[in-house]
């Protein structure tokens, strides 16, 4: 069966069918395609985080291989993308944040934050495999934690209409799940801080000019662009992957660093007042409306899109 998929260049589904993190394996490339498949708002819900952790822990335990159709297959590329039209990932679960902060439940908020780092750290290390390249395919908006997820990958491919940014400063917080460390690695500390504090949503082409995004793809051609990039770099894959691993020596990102920063984030979140929580709730509602507009109950894109940041931008 796997030989047929290989010969025809098809993908083999594996893992839980109804998971919020749906996975396929493409034998011809040795590539995992992992897609955010939210049941509600396209954010980092606890269910999505747990599904990602379960998959990625098994990948690391199998030393860079996944079990597909009863057989362990070597993973050369791990591509993270989304099934939601117009949205890569909208970041943290804001409704949950508001609930936990109002309840003064620091322990539960810290547990959520740790789950995020459990996802981010292995990704930033290419799942501890010396022969695996991680790729983020951004088709649509990537906010907060969604942007951080892309930054944790070796390569970022973004379609022309994609917009990425960190809205957290608008409700007096900062992105604490890797943004500072991972963005600094790409563009330096000063530029990283300026981008984070600006709260701006930037188009993919601008981030490409800044050195954040690696590849720009025409709209609707993101998957083809990923495959083109893989083909173009096939002959130098070994050297290129070794160079990606060398980044850890030049600009190391450690688990201790990510854990320390996320503790700062939890402390800062617990200091938020009523005004900030109202703004966070407003953005959460805007995200819900965006999902309704994107899918229109049909799973397909419905008309012109309302910028998810607009309600907050008008309030400050």
């Amino acid at each position: 069966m796997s030989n047929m998929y290989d010969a025809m260049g098809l993908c083999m589904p594996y893992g839980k069918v109804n998971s919020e993190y749906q996975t396929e394996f493409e034998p011809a490339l040795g590539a995992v395609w992992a897609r955010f498949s939210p049941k509600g708002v396209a954010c980092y819900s606890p269910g999505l985080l747990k599904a990602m952790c379960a998959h990625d822990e098994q990948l690391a335990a199998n030393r860079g291989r996944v079990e597909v159709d009863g057989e362990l297959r070597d993973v050369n590329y791990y591509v993270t993308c989304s099934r939601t039209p117009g949205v890569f990932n909208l970041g943290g679960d804001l409704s949950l944040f508001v609930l936990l902060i109002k309840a003064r439940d620091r322990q539960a908020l810290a547990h959520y934050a740790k789950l995020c780092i459990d996802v981010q750290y292995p990704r930033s290390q290419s799942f501890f495999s010396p022969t695996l390249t991680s790729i983020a395919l951004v088709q649509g908006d990537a906010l907060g934690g969604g942007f951080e997820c892309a930054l944790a990958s070796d390569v970022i491919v973004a379609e022309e209409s994609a917009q990425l940014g960190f809205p957290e400063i608008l409700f007096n917080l900062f992105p604490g799940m890797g943004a500072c460390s991972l963005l600094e690695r790409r563009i330096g500390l000063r530029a990283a801080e300026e981008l984070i504090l600006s709260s701006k949503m930037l188009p993919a082409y601008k981030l490409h000019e800044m050195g954040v995004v690696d590849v720009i793809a025409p709209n609707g051609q993101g998957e083809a662009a990923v495959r083109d990039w893989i083909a173009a770099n096939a002959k130098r894959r070994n050297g290129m992957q070794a160079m990606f691993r060398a980044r850890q020596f030049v600009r190391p990102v450690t688990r201790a660093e990510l854990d320390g920063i996320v503790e700062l984030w939890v402390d800062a979140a617990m200091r938020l007042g009523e005004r900030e929580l109202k703004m966070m709730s407003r953005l959460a509602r805007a995200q819900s409306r965006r999902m309704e507009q994107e899918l229109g109950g049909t799973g397909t894109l419905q008309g012109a899109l309302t910028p998810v940041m607009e309600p907050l931008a008008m309030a400050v």
Side-chain angles (χ1 to χ4, degrees):
M1 178 67 72
S2 61
N3 289 336
M4 180 191 73
Y5 278 90
D6 200 346
M8 298 178 66
L10 300 177
C11 292
M12 307 169 65
Y14 70 95
K16 295 182 179 179
V17 176
N18 295 320
S19 172
E20 292 187 57
Y21 197 56
Q22 295 181 6
T23 50
E24 299 176 319
F25 183 76
E26 185 171 355
L29 298 178
V32 165
W33 293 83
R35 307 177 195 274
F36 299 131
S37 304
K39 300 184 186 303
V41 174
C43 69
Y44 277 117
S45 67
L48 172 59
L49 290 169
K50 290 174 183 178
M52 294 176 74
C53 281
H55 176 274
D56 296 347
E57 286 172 0
Q58 194 61 51
L59 172 67
N62 288 335
R63 299 183 178 182
R65 296 176 294 175
V66 292
E67 184 174 344
V68 183
D69 200 22
E71 180 183 356
L72 282 176
R73 306 296 295 261
D74 291 328
V75 178
N76 299 325
Y77 304 96
Y78 184 129
V79 186
T80 306
C81 47
S82 172
R83 289 198 183 279
T84 304
V87 176
F88 177 70
N89 189 286
L90 298 177
D93 191 335
L94 300 183
S95 296
L96 178 63
F97 294 173
V98 172
L99 180 67
L100 296 179
I101 293 168
K102 285 185 174 181
R104 311 308 300 163
D105 194 341
R106 189 188 189 284
Q107 183 177 356
L109 189 63
H111 176 72
Y112 174 94
K114 180 183 180 297
L115 268 179
C116 292
I117 301 305
D118 288 345
V119 165
Q120 284 287 85
Y121 180 62
R123 187 173 299 268
S124 74
Q125 310 297 308
S126 290
F127 308 99
F128 313 104
S129 170
T131 58
L132 185 154
T133 297
S134 56
I135 302 172
L137 170 57
V138 182
Q139 299 164 295
D141 290 351
L143 276 67
F147 194 178
E148 287 172 312
C149 175
L151 289 169
S153 300
D154 294 319
V155 179
I156 301 176
V157 178
E159 293 190 356
E160 292 171 336
S161 61
Q163 296 190 85
L164 304 90
F166 296 108
E168 287 85 350
I169 199 66
L170 292 176
F171 42 81
N172 206 13
L173 201 54
F174 79 105
M177 285 69 170
C180 301
S181 304
L182 299 167
L183 196 55
E184 186 277 338
R185 176 191 275 182
R186 287 179 176 263
I187 60 176
L189 182 59
R190 182 66 176 271
E193 289 178 345
E194 289 178 355
L195 179 55
I196 289 169
L197 293 173
S198 75
S199 75
K200 291 180 179 177
M201 290 288 289
L202 295 181
Y205 81 87
K206 181 63 176 178
L207 290 166
H208 183 257
E209 292 175 356
M210 294 171 62
V212 178
V213 169
D214 299 292
V215 179
I216 297 291
N219 291 334
Q221 298 299 312
E223 291 193 15
V226 168
R227 292 186 172 92
D228 287 346
W229 184 89
I230 290 173
N233 290 282
K235 291 183 178 179
R236 59 176 187 171
R237 183 169 71 89
N238 181 63
M240 182 179 61
Q241 288 175 324
M243 184 192 69
F244 289 153
R245 301 296 78 75
R247 290 176 179 175
Q248 281 299 319
F249 291 93
V250 179
R251 287 283 190 273
V253 175
T254 67
R255 176 72 196 225
E257 178 179 315
L258 296 178
D259 283 338
I261 292 173
V262 88
E263 282 292 312
L264 293 175
W265 179 88
V266 173
D267 289 340
M270 294 302 295
R271 292 194 296 267
L272 294 180
E274 189 62 29
R275 179 179 180 274
E276 288 90 357
L277 294 178
K278 284 182 179 179
M279 295 182 72
M280 195 182 291
S281 295
R282 189 175 299 166
L283 181 53
R285 290 194 297 271
Q287 290 180 350
S288 295
R289 289 195 298 270
R290 174 67 182 272
M291 294 301 297
E292 292 171 3
Q293 187 179 17
E294 292 280 7
L295 301 178
T298 66
T300 58
L301 191 62
Q302 301 291 308
L305 304 179
T306 300
V308 74
M309 295 290 291
E310 191 172 278
L312 277 185
M314 294 173 62
V316 295

